[in-house]
Amino acid sequence: MNQPGSSIKLRMKNGNAYHIQLCVEPETNHTPEFLRAQLENGMAGLSSQSRWQRFASPINTLSKEQLDYLSNIDGINHMAWCASLLQEGKERGIAIARYVKLPDEFGVAEFAITVMDAYQGQGIGYELIKKLVESASANRLNTLRGHVAPGNRRMLNLCKQCGASIQTEGHSSVVVEIDIKNG
């Protein structure tokens, strides 16, 4: 895994620079409080459609309980990678990918990826999912499972690129599973 304070510098398809690093990381400004603020600000960068596709409800803001849950990251059972860029000298979060290990299914974690609307289709989600898979492998997980809205074509295509199996679950959800190769 990356050393504390390290970040991966990348370029979007349009050529703009961004970087990926752990969302909560010792010895950096990436504290749980910093993540909470980025999550709150990030909600404003999501259209109602993107919020619906991510949360499966008409959510506009995150509750204190949701922010607590999303920022309580241990790097093993709950892992999160953030993509950000510098704007006017300040770091601005533009995407996040996370997984949370399921307590009642050995080796399985549920994952989700959110990319702010202005940055969708730029390859950021693909880079984030690669980091999630690396982390899942390092933490000896076997499967990353996600629930995707059937109309979320970008996310479904991203999962297909990663070799995910895809199963329709009723009209409201598609279940995707990415097999993790450990070792």
Side-chain angles (χ1 to χ4, degrees):
M1 288 279 204
N2 291 337
Q3 297 300 313
S6 65
S7 69
I8 303 155
K9 293 179 171 64
L10 298 163
R11 294 219 172 260
M12 296 179 216
K13 290 179 181 176
N14 66 11
N16 290 337
Y18 73 103
H19 69 273
I20 292 176
Q21 76 180 79
L22 291 169
C23 293
V24 174
E25 188 170 18
E27 302 172 29
T28 72
N29 70 333
H30 279 235
T31 64
E33 295 76 26
F34 178 78
L35 177 57
R36 288 173 69 94
Q38 291 290 313
L39 290 167
E40 287 179 307
N41 292 336
M43 285 296 284
L46 293 175
S47 66
S48 58
Q49 179 182 2
S50 289
R51 288 190 307 269
W52 179 265
Q53 288 176 337
R54 171 57 186 89
F55 297 101
S57 67
I59 185 172
N60 290 318
T61 59
L62 295 168
S63 70
K64 179 189 177 317
E65 291 78 18
Q66 287 170 313
L67 286 167
D68 288 345
Y69 173 75
L70 293 171
S71 62
N72 184 17
I73 297 169
D74 65 11
I76 298 169
N77 296 309
H78 188 169
M79 173 66 71
W81 290 90
C82 293
S84 57
L85 47 80
L86 286 178
Q87 247 181 8
E88 299 173 9
K90 292 186 179 179
E91 185 175 1
R92 178 172 180 254
I94 58 173
I96 187 170
R98 69 176 58 253
Y99 72 68
V100 178
K101 196 171 173 183
L102 298 175
D104 49 349
E105 288 190 62
F106 180 78
V108 179
E110 187 170 21
F111 81 98
I113 299 173
T114 305
V115 179
M116 290 177 54
D117 287 62
Y119 302 96
Q120 292 178 6
Q122 293 296 316
I124 299 166
Y126 181 73
E127 294 298 332
L128 285 169
I129 203 166
K130 286 188 337 188
K131 295 307 293 177
L132 275 188
V133 168
E134 284 177 26
S135 297
S137 178
N139 289 319
R140 302 202 182 277
L141 294 173
N142 302 316
T143 305
L144 289 178
R145 180 181 298 146
H147 297 270
V148 181
N152 192 345
R153 293 282 161 225
R154 280 190 169 148
M155 184 63 177
L156 290 171
N157 287 335
L158 174 62
C159 291
K160 285 178 188 174
Q161 287 177 21
C162 295
S165 66
I166 299 174
Q167 296 179 329
T168 302
E169 192 175 86
H171 295 289
S172 62
S173 182
V174 175
V175 177
V176 297
E177 290 193 350
I178 300 171
D179 184 39
I180 306 300
K181 312 291 188 261
N182 292 304

